Amino acid sequence: MTKRTKGDLLLDIGVYAFLIALGLIMLLPLASVFSKAVSEEWAITSGKVGILPVGFQLDTLMQVISSSVFIRAFCISVGVTAVGTLISILMTALTAYPLSKRNLPGISFCMVLFIFTMLFSGGLIPNYLLMRQLHLVDNLWVLILPGMISVFNMLVIKSYYESLPEALEESARIDGAKTYTILFRIILPLSMPVIATIALFYAVGYWNDYFGPMIYINDTALKTLQLYLQDVVMDANNANLTNKSIDDLMNMSPEGIRAATVVASTVPILLVYPFMQKYFIKGVLIGSVKG
């Protein structure tokens, strides 16, 4: 075993200190928002809430999540995230499979086309005009179809496919298996780590999408949770946002409503991470090692 020097020890201390500082920079704002969401109103209005909550109450949070406007926006975001993730992961996996075959005729030309779309886009105005001509403005499909396949995610899955032994497919073909049987019964089950990781990427992207709904969605009945959150941040005193009476709102501070809304819209996607953790690191590392 190589003996560690003082320089190695100092390097380890520096790395750990940097990582801890980086983690605190990311966690402290979340802790502050969560504290304001559950603190007493008098403490919020007097500016006494910092990292830790002052007092404890869930009235503001309950008012926010019981709002009919919040529930509608929440259901729309959940629906777009679930349907979008399912379609995206299916289309990405199906696209990556033929491109992982090096003997496929024209594969170099196809890869150039995919890489070109990753580097260059048509721009905002042409995209908006295209969506309007396709009658997708004020249609929830506009939040799914334009970003249905991420070329970067497709390349990660393609690399994972290429890392699988070719003998698996050859033995399956000898036993009479067709291409779709090989893909759905052999390749995809073996690719669950990278599939689950890419699904998480897609889910987070759909859930946090703000720019797309802001550009393409004008109907208030189709607003997603991110647009609802924007309304709350812009005007927390609007009675329509919480569907409560003015008397109820007078007992809540605008800052407390904003914090409670941020917590209510962030917690659902955070709850997904623990279930995906076992696939996350393995999927990203294996899928990204091969170029």
Side-chain angles (χ1 to χ4, degrees), residues 24-42:
L24 290 176
I25 290 174
M26 296 179 181
L27 289 177
L28 289 181
L30 291 176
S32 177
V33 171
F34 180 79
S35 297
K36 290 178 181 177
V38 298
S39 293
E40 297 287 350
E41 294 299 328
W42 65 266

Side-chain angles (χ1 to χ4, degrees), residues 171-231:
S171 60
R173 291 189 188 281
I174 293 174
D175 292 338
K178 302 298 183 183
T179 301
Y180 285 103
T181 303
I182 295 172
L183 176 60
F184 287 101
R185 301 189 64 176
I186 297 177
I187 302 300
L188 290 183
L190 291 174
S191 305
M192 281 309 297
V194 71
I195 294 292
T197 303
I198 297 302
L200 180 61
F201 288 168
Y202 277 125
V204 173
Y206 281 118
W207 182 266
N208 290 332
D209 186 18
Y210 166 72
F211 190 72
M214 184 184 68
I215 296 298
Y216 298 119
I217 301 297
N218 301 312
D219 189 349
T220 55
L222 298 178
K223 283 189 173 182
T224 63
L225 197 57
Q226 302 305 321
L227 292 182
Y228 171 78
L229 183 60
Q230 180 203 28
D231 291 340

Side-chain angles (χ1 to χ4, degrees), residues 18 40 109 120 145 159 169 248 250 276-277 291:
F18 174 76
E40 297 287 350
F109 178 72
F120 303 99
L145 297 180
S159 298
E169 295 190 37
D248 292 332
M250 290 296 290
M276 310 294 283
Q277 179 65 26

Side-chain angles (χ1 to χ4, degrees), residues 109-130:
F109 178 72
C110 293
M111 287 304 302
V112 169
L113 292 181
F114 277 105
I115 298 298
F116 184 84
T117 60
M118 186 172 67
L119 300 177
F120 303 99
S121 66
L124 177 60
I125 295 178
N127 282 335
Y128 181 83
L129 294 177
L130 176 62

